[in-house]
Amino acid sequence: MYSTFRDILICIGFLFFGILLCAQNPVIEQMEHVSKLPDVEFYDVTEDPQNYIWLAADKGLYRYNGKSYKRFSHPKQKANSLFQLKLDQEGRLWCNNIYGQIFYVEKDSLKLFYDANKLVKGQLSPFVVLDNTIRLFTTSGIYDIDKTSKAVIQVFKGMCISNANDGPVNYTFIINFENEIKRHRIYKFEAGNQIKVLEINSHTRIQSPKLFVFSNTVFFTHKTAKGNIIYLINKTQNNSVKIKTPIQLQNLTIYNLLKFKDDYWFLTSSGVFVFTLKDHKLVFKEQLFKTESITDVEVDFNNNYWFTTLDNGVFVSPNLNIRYVELNTIEAKVSASCVLYDNRFVLGTTQGKLLFYDKDQLVKTIQLPGNKNIGNLYFDFDKQQLIVSINASESFVVNLNNDQVSDVSNTFSVAKTFSKINDTTLFYGNYRQAIVYTNPFKSPNKNIIRSSRVKTSIVGDNQLFVSYIDGFYKYQLDTFSSEEIKYNSNSLLVHAMTKYEHTIWLATQHNGLLKYKNNTLAKSEFQLPHQLQINDIQSDADTLWISTDKGLFQYQPKINLLRSLSTQDALNTAVDDFLILQNNIIVTLPKAFYILPKTEALFKTFKTANIKVEAVSINDRDTIIKPKYKLPYNLNKIGIAFNSNGFLTNQHVNYQYRVKQLDTSWQHIPPYTHSVHFNSLSHGTYTVELKAQNESAKSPVYASPINFIIAKPFWETYWFYGLVLVSIFGLVWLYFRWRLRQKETQRIAEIDKILTDKKITNLRLENLRSQMNPHFIFNALNSIQDYIISNEKALASSYLVKFSRLIRMYLEYSQQNEITLEEEIKALQLYLELEKVRFEDELDYQVHIEEQLHTKQIKVPSLFIQPYVENALKHGLLHKPKNRKLLVEAKMIQQDKLQITVVDNGIGRKQSEKIKRSNQQHRPFATKANEERVHLYKNKLKRDITITTTDLYDENNVAAGTKVVITMPIH
């Protein structure tokens, strides 16, 4: 039994052309969000042969490579703003500024071609790039500037305001002053000839004249007080006709006019107006971006549309066919959708509102009683009944013939799926039961065929297929007897299915996409990229539409063709619910929906721009880019930076590399990475190959290979091996030669040592002879004799003992090169005791040894000190009558040196020399011997012994003795 709400408020609003709805627009990507834009005010955009996008902006000229922007400027540039981007036959980009400077881009920098300030006089003048000249249109005439010589020739005199060219043919708007009548003309310049194709007589100057030339016609527009005027010029007949200005363009500022296929795009201060031209009439098709001031449009190599604006930067429409409708008038979210018929559909919201659309136009709304959360919708075309299932114990039926809403309680509440079995039978599944209703709209009869959570259902080939949370079942329509369909003996979890001809396509949770035909399950012939999870699948004529988290796919089983719509088409969403209309696909979102036309133009053919090697680094230092490098072994750290130009290539182009000598297969480069690095390459030849492929393109592109030849380290070269062998032989020869020389040196050293030892021995003997000279022995024996005669037997005996001991010491020490300091001092003291007797006790001597000296360990040359003491006695003190004093002192200096001092207060060396000359028989043999010994010790034995002799004087400068200082190292 139905409950009819006669008194409830049904809000039905008929809206005309989107009064309550923002007009549809193509899907776009704001470049400000893709990569930080350098400006917001842009005038022109173009794509060069290398697929760079060039932008002329208020702040200058910029080039976009898919990742970032590079600014081009010139040091002599007088104005930042650049305009009129043009490409010549060589692919060079040309532009100019208001000041009159003309620039071109070459070798990655902006070059100043010509400064035409005196010609343009502060006006932005049109120019054309010809083969050999630049043609400039100014307020004083038309000038040709030779590309090579920069020579300027005036080819026409007159005030040129606007120009448009078709190759070498130019259409120019010119103002002439003749007899105070202002005549405004358009001339056609071709092959040196000029033809007047339009003349306008006006006493007021025409405002904003613009010319636009196309393949078969030329448009001329200008402003008047009554609005825009439009003329058409026939290129063949060279005549013109004034056409009616469409009302949409009447009072707008027209920035540009472009033609795409058969459509004319007027770029205005209120967006883009698209017209077709039929019988000299502009027929309006649509308006795009009505809130934007569009200045230029460029279609790149991947059919992306670039739009520049005067105040909102740049945006790109990756797929102009996909339109986006934003639901600005509702606060709730779209929670359900349903196809009605033709191109009509209905959306249900979380606040109980039904929105009825015809294409993109909202034609009426119905508000259900209360804020109901609509969970599902089902439309019975034959009955014209719309079932509205609420996500609660409620449901409604709306009669679309009269928009009457009936409350049917929980008959269709919390629905998961509906399937029409026949005109009187309807399958309905919810979160806990599978139900078959007979006469569902009038006195429904309920039949529960299974108690389980239903996911989806479909009717095909006189059978009902139902997917439950625990399996997939097939029902016979006459008895509703069931049979579980399993795959590889396992229960199937199916979350979406559709019927195509006599096949049921199943989207499963664990087994991918399956086909059920003739009671047999089989895998599908195709696989989705990356094994995507399918959200929904629907059939449409000979096509399957499949929604995934990565976009929407179209599959044509008969030709096994799979195509996709994804983020590259600005379908930047995980597609879940979608509707198939007569002409369009509707993809619903919580606050908007996409409109996709079912045409071939919907799917683009993607290409990949050529890979450009942007930098090569060797050992982290950039170098000139070359196809081949020859490097020494230590320059073996290689880096290559590259890029494939294009819109969003960072996201959608995959790069791979291969080094032929190292890799058997291509190596993947991580996303957002535009370089490869090779560290510590060993010697050899390496060929680095790069390839790039747009993820939606059919084939990759390849960069020119780069060869790196890294030389062997010198220690691995043949010449080094030869050098090593030669060196080994040379070292062996040098070794044996050195050994021979060493032996020879050793032999000479031994001989020299023998000679030295012999000489030292001779010197010792000479020293001994001097010490045991007859005079000393005679004096000693004479002293003994005197003691004997004087009957001083004890003294004689003592003296004899001392004399014999001294003689024994001399004989013993003379056999040794070195003796201890203690032995030397003992011999010296014994000698002084004997000499004191000779001086009849008129000799006062002292021998002072420093306490810290280790006299038993310190070695000194044998009998080395005694000759200097003897000299002091014999030549200094002997001739002094009295007060004879002698001091012998030994001490350590500088930690490792021994200093021995012999000081006497004798007559001095000068007086002694005089006496010696008168008595030549007394010669200082021992002193000379010592000097030779010192020389031998220094040069042969490397022992540094120094002897200094100093004359002493008293305060009257009278000789007061001699001081001998002996310094030698302690060892």
Side-chain angles (χ1 to χ4, degrees), residues 59 111 141 169 210 226 240 308 336 345 348 518 531 783 816 888 956:
K59 294 181 181 178
K111 311 287 186 180
V169 180
K210 291 184 174 66
K226 295 181 181 180
S240 61
T308 57
F345 62 97
N518 298 327
Q531 300 299 316
S783 298
Q816 304 176 38
V888 178
N956 298 318

Side-chain angles (χ1 to χ4, degrees), residues 787-848:
Y787 285 133
I788 294 173
I789 294 172
S790 303
N791 202 22
E792 294 179 3
K793 296 179 180 179
L795 291 175
S797 176
S798 174
Y799 193 95
L800 182 60
V801 170
K802 292 178 180 179
F803 176 72
S804 61
R805 284 175 57 196
L806 181 60
I807 296 302
R808 187 168 58 249
M809 286 181 181
Y810 283 168
L811 294 174
E812 181 181 350
Y813 295 162
S814 64
Q815 303 302 315
Q816 304 176 38
N817 285 334
E818 291 182 329
I819 60 176
T820 65
L821 180 60
E822 181 184 39
E823 293 172 332
E824 180 78 9
I825 295 299
K826 284 182 179 180
L828 182 61
Q829 286 177 330
L830 190 56
Y831 169 73
L832 287 172
E833 288 180 8
L834 294 177
E835 284 289 76
K836 186 175 182 179
V837 175
R838 185 162 70 95
F839 280 85
E840 298 177 355
D841 290 331
E842 288 296 330
L843 175 63
D844 183 9
Y845 70 89
Q846 291 182 3
V847 178
H848 182 264

Side-chain angles (χ1 to χ4, degrees), residues 492-673:
L492 274 175
L493 301 181
V494 179
H495 55 268
M497 57 179 147
T498 191
K499 178 187 174 184
Y500 174 78
E501 295 183 346
H502 297 288
T503 303
I504 305 297
W505 290 78
L506 308 173
T508 68
Q509 184 172 347
H510 302 295
N511 303 105
L513 195 61
L514 301 177
K515 296 191 305 181
Y516 183 77
K517 185 177 181 180
N518 298 327
N519 297 322
T520 303
L521 277 173
K523 282 280 188 180
S524 66
E525 294 86 353
F526 72 96
Q527 293 293 328
L528 294 178
H530 312 298
Q531 300 299 316
L532 293 174
Q533 179 70 34
I534 296 174
N535 297 326
D536 195 9
I537 181 170
Q538 298 183 44
S539 63
D540 179 32
D542 59 351
T543 301
L544 292 178
W545 294 90
I546 304 166
S547 65
T548 72
D549 288 342
K550 296 292 185 180
L552 190 66
F553 290 82
Q554 183 200 65
Y555 178 63
Q556 299 180 34
K558 291 183 179 179
I559 58 176
N560 194 28
L561 175 64
L562 180 67
R563 297 187 289 187
S564 68
L565 298 167
S566 59
T567 54
Q568 286 202 86
D569 301 278
L571 198 64
N572 299 329
T573 182
V575 179
D576 192 358
D577 297 325
F578 66 96
L579 306 173
I580 299 179
L581 306 182
Q582 184 178 12
N583 301 115
N584 301 306
I585 303 293
I586 303 296
V587 176
T588 60
L589 302 175
K591 295 288 289 185
F593 60 86
Y594 290 96
I595 303 175
L596 287 64
K598 294 193 297 183
T599 62
E600 284 299 310
L602 177 64
F603 295 94
K604 301 195 304 181
T605 300
F606 286 93
K607 302 175 184 177
T608 309
N610 291 330
I611 302 178
K612 178 179 176 60
V613 176
E614 297 182 326
V616 175
S617 64
I618 299 173
N619 283 18
D620 297 323
R621 296 186 64 180
D622 287 343
T623 186
I624 298 173
I625 299 174
K626 300 187 296 185
K628 188 174 183 180
Y629 296 84
K630 291 185 177 181
L631 305 173
Y633 74 94
N634 58 329
L635 298 181
N636 60 349
K637 184 180 180 182
I638 308 298
I640 303 174
F642 48 85
N643 186 58
S644 176
N645 294 331
F647 177 62
L648 292 179
T649 54
N650 254 355
Q651 301 178 23
H652 304 305
V653 172
N654 300 316
Y655 297 97
Q656 293 177 285
Y657 76 91
R658 180 176 66 182
V659 181
K660 279 188 175 180
Q661 292 76 6
L662 300 178
D663 303 313
T664 57
S665 60
W666 289 91
Q667 307 297 314
H668 288 276
I669 298 172
Y672 300 95
T673 303

Side-chain angles (χ1 to χ4, degrees), residues 253-532:
T253 300
I254 299 173
Y255 298 118
N256 207 343
L257 176 58
L258 303 172
K259 186 179 181 183
F260 296 103
K261 296 183 179 178
D262 295 327
D263 294 334
Y264 290 93
W265 287 31
F266 286 83
L267 311 184
T268 74
S269 54
S270 292
V272 178
F273 289 87
V274 182
F275 294 88
T276 57
L277 184 64
K278 293 183 179 179
D279 299 327
H280 291 172
K281 291 182 180 180
L282 289 171
V283 181
F284 177 72
K285 288 184 67 175
E286 63 178 337
Q287 180 185 5
L288 307 176
F289 314 115
K290 68 178 184 179
T291 61
E292 303 289 351
S293 296
I294 308 295
T295 56
D296 199 8
V297 179
E298 176 74 4
V299 183
D300 69 15
F301 74 107
N302 264 333
N303 215 32
N304 300 303
Y305 284 71
W306 294 72
F307 296 83
T308 57
T309 72
L310 276 182
D311 53 12
N312 196 26
V314 179
F315 50 85
V316 179
S317 175
N319 195 325
L320 201 66
N321 296 284
I322 300 178
R323 302 303 170 88
Y324 182 77
V325 178
E326 190 171 2
L327 304 178
N328 291 331
T329 61
I330 61 172
E331 297 180 358
K333 296 180 179 180
V334 173
S335 55
S337 60
C338 179
V339 177
L340 298 178
Y341 52 88
D342 295 335
N343 288 312
R344 293 177 176 263
F345 62 97
V346 59
L347 303 177
T349 73
T350 56
Q351 292 184 353
K353 184 176 286 188
L354 296 171
L355 308 175
F356 292 85
Y357 283 89
D358 186 358
K359 296 182 180 177
D360 61 332
Q361 302 299 321
L362 179 64
V363 295
K364 67 180 177 182
T365 63
I366 296 179
Q367 176 66 56
L368 299 176
N371 292 331
K372 310 298 183 183
N373 187 356
I374 299 175
N376 209 329
L377 296 171
Y378 173 76
F379 177 64
D380 189 316
F381 178 79
D382 297 324
K383 305 292 184 182
Q384 287 294 296
Q385 301 291 325
L386 177 68
I387 297 175
V388 182
S389 177
I390 308 300
N391 283 339
S393 298
E394 292 182 276
S395 57
F396 299 88
V397 174
V398 181
N399 188 332
L400 296 189
N401 290 320
N402 55 20
D403 296 323
Q404 182 180 6
V405 179
S406 302
D407 187 348
V408 293
S409 187
N410 64 352
T411 304
F412 304 110
S413 63
V414 200
K416 299 298 180 183
T417 180
F418 292 96
S419 291
K420 186 175 182 179
I421 297 174
N422 53 47
D423 289 343
T424 60
T425 309
L426 178 69
F427 174 78
Y428 150 69
N430 59 33
Y431 69 98
R432 61 187 181 90
Q433 291 176 331
I435 301 171
V436 175
Y437 281 115
T438 306
N439 300 319
F441 304 110
K442 292 181 179 179
S443 303
N445 182 23
K446 182 178 181 181
N447 177 20
I448 301 175
I449 61 175
R450 192 168 190 266
S451 294
S452 182
R453 185 184 184 92
V454 180
K455 299 188 72 175
T456 186
S457 63
I458 197 170
V459 174
D461 294 336
N462 296 317
Q463 293 172 319
L464 171 66
F465 297 88
V466 182
S467 171
Y468 297 96
I469 196 171
D470 57 353
F472 179 59
Y473 288 80
K474 176 177 68 174
Y475 292 87
Q476 300 301 322
L477 296 183
D478 50 355
T479 63
F480 290 103
S481 59
S482 65
E483 175 189 352
E484 184 178 6
I485 300 174
K486 295 186 177 182
Y487 185 68
N488 293 335
S489 302
N490 295 318
S491 296
L492 274 175
L493 301 181
V494 179
H495 55 268
M497 57 179 147
T498 191
K499 178 187 174 184
Y500 174 78
E501 295 183 346
H502 297 288
T503 303
I504 305 297
W505 290 78
L506 308 173
T508 68
Q509 184 172 347
H510 302 295
N511 303 105
L513 195 61
L514 301 177
K515 296 191 305 181
Y516 183 77
K517 185 177 181 180
N518 298 327
N519 297 322
T520 303
L521 277 173
K523 282 280 188 180
S524 66
E525 294 86 353
F526 72 96
Q527 293 293 328
L528 294 178
H530 312 298
Q531 300 299 316
L532 293 174

